[in-house]
Every structure is written in structure tokens, then in C-alpha cells.
Amino acid sequence: MDRNEIPRSSSPAAELDRRNLDEDVAGALRQGILTGDLKPGERLTELDLAARWRVSQGTIRAALRTLQFEGLVEVRPRRGTFVTKLDEADVIEIYSLRDTLESLASRHAAERITDKDRRTLERVLRAMRSAVEAGNRKRMLELDFEFHRTIVEISGHKRLMEMWSRLAVQTRLFLTMTDQFHHDLDGLLSIHEPLAEAILAGKAEKAFRLASHHSQRDGTRLAAALANAEDKGQQA
């Protein structure tokens, strides 16, 4: 992909819903970052993006503000806007905060789960098993995120849901970046099944314990990989 190019919509820009144009462009840019089409550290200029998407610079500016709020882009004074490049400290903060929120959500979910909630969580779990059987890595990544979102929703903890939602896009980025550590999808499934079973059985403290370190292994491996890459870059 050329520098600063954003993923092209399947429909011409003229066909985008003008009422939601800012969100459409933000969504396209977000997808480009999460899939790696837009690289960490890449500079994003309003003028180039507006020309490529055939929209105003104001629309691009609004979309970039959304992504900045989500932590996917950063503004560097007098330099411009860049795709966020996570470092070791960023990763540690993301996974530790995520596990803190999701462990609390898992406890609440196990304590208050209803029959309807059980069917919803079981449906996600079945879909994950099907994705593993089909070897569909992309689908498994999507379901991994849906699995945790479902647990948070089942918890019924409104303020927790609000905080988790603010971290949601960075969680998706974390899942994308740690996918490299899961060559075996069966292993990825085995991490989620015990947590789901604890919640389904109403075992609140077990669910809390499992969720409290759910992301730790991947997080520490990713943090170490980024630190190693940074050291090599400084030595080069």
C-alpha cells in the first residue's frame, strides 16, 4: 500500500452516507490500522487523505480526532498526526487494565447470568469452536473480541462497560498484535473455554481468577518483543 493510503471503500465515496461521513472515514482508517495496512508510526496528512477519499479536510480532521480519542493515532506538536506505535509500557498498561476490568466483569457475569445470557455466551463459544475447526484465523480474532465483549455486557455493570468500551479499540489492536503467538488455534480456544465454563456454572471467584491473568502471557511476550525490537533499532 502506498504511503498514507487508506483502505478503499467497496462503494465510491459519493455513495457514502453523508450523515455519517465522519464515522465512515474513521471506520475505514480504523480498519486500516487494525489490519496493518496503515503501519505504526506512519504519518497521516489531512490533505492527502482528503484527496484520496474525496472528502473535505474537515471530515478527515474529525475522523482523526475520533481515532486519537481511541488511542490509534497520536498528534505530535509541529510534526503532524501519526499512527500510534505501541511500546513496551503501552502494552503492559493495556493488558493489565484489560485484565482488571474483565476480571471484575467475569465475576459479576457469573453472579447474575440468566438463561438468555447463557445461550448468548454458549453461541459465541460454539462459533469459536467452528472457527478453530475451519482454521479460520480472521474469524477467530473477531470472535475473541466478541467473547470478551459479551462477558462485559452480561456483567450488567454500566460504568465498567463504559470504561471497557474506551479501551475496546486498543484491545482489538492488542489481539491483532498478539495473534503471532498463537500458531495453534486450539491453544487459543483452550484459554477461553475454562473462563466460559466458570461463568456458565456461576462460579464467580473462579471466573474472576481466570480472567485476572487472561491476557498476561500474551502481554508479557508482546512487551518483550517490542522492547527487543527497540533495542535492536537503537543499536543499528
Side-chain angles (χ1 to χ4, degrees), residues 1 10 21 26 51 54 58 64 85 95 103 109 114 120 134 137 143 166 181 194 196 201 207 210 219 226:
M1 172 173 280
S10 58
L21 190 55
R54 300 191 293 280
L64 291 176
K85 186 176 183 179
Y95 87 73
S103 58
T114 66
T120 299
R137 182 170 295 275
L143 289 166
R166 291 192 61 178
F181 304 130
L210 289 170
L226 292 174

Side-chain angles (χ1 to χ4, degrees), residues 215-234:
S215 306
Q216 184 174 8
R217 183 183 179 192
D218 282 352
T220 53
R221 292 173 75 182
L222 180 58
L226 292 174
N228 185 52
E230 181 67 21
D231 289 341
K232 288 182 179 179
Q234 292 175 354

Side-chain angles (χ1 to χ4, degrees), residues 18-44:
R18 295 294 169 178
R19 292 170 301 176
N20 300 306
L21 190 55
D22 294 353
E23 289 83 357
D24 289 334
V25 175
L29 287 166
R30 184 184 302 112
Q31 184 67 12
I33 293 171
L34 293 175
T35 59
D37 289 333
L38 293 171
K39 305 299 182 185
E42 183 170 342
R43 188 165 184 259
L44 304 174

